[in-house]
Amino acid sequence: MTGNSAGNSTGNSTGNQAADRNAGRELIELMAGFWKTQAVYYAAESGLIDAVHEAGRASSTALAVRIGADADALGRLLLFLESLDVVRGDDQEGYQLTAVGELLRSGSPGSMRDHVRIYGSHFYRAWGALDHSLRTGGAAFSQVYGSDLFSYLNQHPETSLTYERAMVAGTPFFSEVGSVFDFSGAELVVDVAGGHGALLSEILRSHPGPRAVLFDAPHVIDETEGRPIATEHAHRCDRVPGDFFEGVPEGGDVYLLSRILHCFDDESCHRILTNCRRAMRPGGRLVVLERVLTRGDGSCLTQGYNMHMLVVLGGGRERDESQYRALLDKAGFTLESVSPLPLETNLLVATPK
């Protein structure tokens, strides 16, 4: 028994040491997350990604000349980006983009460059003031930039354009919405706070019957000039400026709210939902696209966005299904179905009570 006890003790000790080493490695990986954020952000913002694409294959020295960087420093960055699967290759054979790197290229199909640009700059700085959100429950973004996000965007047109493009870049699931919800029977689809009309454009392309209204803040509607919703779909879609807290366009039989409710507290959501309920035709339907908060699903993306809503918007939050059901019920809706979409997004359908 003494021998067995000693053996077990030794085995447990060895196992504990290995677990401690693994835990230490995991903790370092967690704390070094900002290395990755800023490396990827610089690669997109500096033009490095576009330079790699244009060169085909190029050494760090050649790429440094192209973008005006120090050759040794850029070589270190490319080595790091290679470990992150953003580029492949080395100085011998030259660097080229991976599939991940292609998403950072300006002008590439499905480019997420603007998504990276705003997350690596404005949102990154806001997260640096996380303590403000945790002490006060308010938005760290407002603390850093002196105004709430939407007021800031209204005052900074270039950032507003980047933000709207970033929101579209984070929504490759738009193309699947029409296969989950059938818009063919709708006469008028109203997209409330629909941004530059990317989702509405997808719906109109795949469903030739309905007409549509794109409704958003005046400066956002101004930004839609020249975009598909104002060119390709001009004969089927009216672009209407306004404030969804005051009211929304009337007469629709389908109202869309895509990633809007998670930006606001319950009281504000109630005002938006009540306005939609009041405006829609009898028998109309409300389609909501949001992440639905769950626990124990092996992913931290939705939980992370729940924190992001606090940091950037203060009153914003992700909600679980029961919370959405309660919000909708209070505004006069019944939640009929919840269907999964990519990137942990869900399509919720509600009908008037």
Side-chain angles (χ1 to χ4, degrees), residues 163-225:
Y163 174 81
E164 288 296 336
R165 289 193 295 255
M167 295 305 100
V168 173
T171 54
F173 55 84
F174 275 2
S175 61
E176 300 192 27
V177 169
S179 63
V180 176
F181 182 86
D182 184 9
F183 291 88
S184 60
E187 293 183 24
L188 181 64
V189 178
V190 180
D191 193 352
V192 177
H196 291 166
L199 173 58
L200 207 49
S201 293
E202 289 282 353
I203 292 169
L204 292 176
R205 286 191 193 103
S206 57
H207 296 83
R211 287 188 53 79
V213 173
L214 176 66
F215 180 73
D216 212 314
H219 75 278
V220 176
I221 294 297
D222 289 343
E223 292 167 2
T224 61
E225 292 291 342

Side-chain angles (χ1 to χ4, degrees), residues 15-280:
N16 289 339
Q17 289 173 357
D20 288 345
R21 285 195 295 272
N22 290 337
R25 172 59 184 262
E26 288 179 17
L27 182 57
I28 291 172
E29 291 278 359
L30 290 173
M31 296 311 298
F34 70 94
W35 298 352
K36 302 174 184 179
T37 300
Q38 286 300 295
V40 174
Y41 168 69
Y42 176 85
E45 184 72 8
S46 68
L48 173 61
I49 293 296
D50 288 346
V52 173
H53 171 73
E54 291 163 6
R57 284 183 179 272
S59 68
S60 58
T61 301
L63 291 167
V65 171
R66 278 175 172 264
I67 68 169
D70 178 82
D72 177 69
L74 193 66
R76 298 188 199 190
L77 176 63
L78 286 162
L79 188 63
F80 186 37
L81 292 173
E82 191 273 335
S83 74
L84 300 177
D85 194 36
V86 174
V87 299
R88 67 169 65 92
D90 54 34
D91 270 325
Q92 294 286 328
E93 63 181 36
Y95 288 97
Q96 62 182 151
L97 300 180
T98 64
V100 174
E102 284 289 336
L103 291 177
L104 298 172
R105 183 166 65 81
S106 57
S108 67
S111 174
M112 298 182 71
R113 179 172 179 267
D114 286 302
H115 195 81
V116 168
R117 290 180 67 209
I118 200 158
Y119 272 74
S121 57
H122 292 78
F123 292 166
Y124 184 84
R125 285 189 61 196
W127 271 82
L130 174 62
D131 66 306
H132 174 80
S133 291
L134 294 176
R135 283 187 292 102
T136 68
F141 186 97
S142 300
Q143 176 74 4
V144 172
Y145 291 98
S147 68
D148 67 86
L149 173 64
F150 297 118
S151 296
Y152 181 89
L153 294 175
N154 192 25
Q155 296 159 9
H156 297 81
E158 285 302 316
T159 305
S160 177
L161 284 170
T162 300
Y163 174 81
E164 288 296 336
R165 289 193 295 255
M167 295 305 100
V168 173
T171 54
F173 55 84
F174 275 2
S175 61
E176 300 192 27
V177 169
S179 63
V180 176
F181 182 86
D182 184 9
F183 291 88
S184 60
E187 293 183 24
L188 181 64
V189 178
V190 180
D191 193 352
V192 177
H196 291 166
L199 173 58
L200 207 49
S201 293
E202 289 282 353
I203 292 169
L204 292 176
R205 286 191 193 103
S206 57
H207 296 83
R211 287 188 53 79
V213 173
L214 176 66
F215 180 73
D216 212 314
H219 75 278
V220 176
I221 294 297
D222 289 343
E223 292 167 2
T224 61
E225 292 291 342
R227 298 183 182 277
I229 199 66
T231 55
E232 178 184 347
H233 305 295
H235 61 296
R236 295 175 62 196
C237 182
D238 295 325
R239 294 172 294 138
V240 178
D243 180 350
F244 52 35
F245 289 125
E246 300 299 326
V248 301
E250 297 184 352
D253 43 9
V254 175
Y255 282 75
L256 297 173
L257 286 170
S258 175
R259 299 169 307 151
I260 302 303
L261 298 179
H262 76 158
C263 295
F264 299 101
D265 60 23
D266 287 359
E267 181 181 348
S268 298
C269 288
H270 180 69
R271 291 171 63 188
I272 298 167
L273 290 168
T274 300
N275 286 337
C276 291
R277 173 69 181 85
R278 186 181 299 118
M280 70 172 45

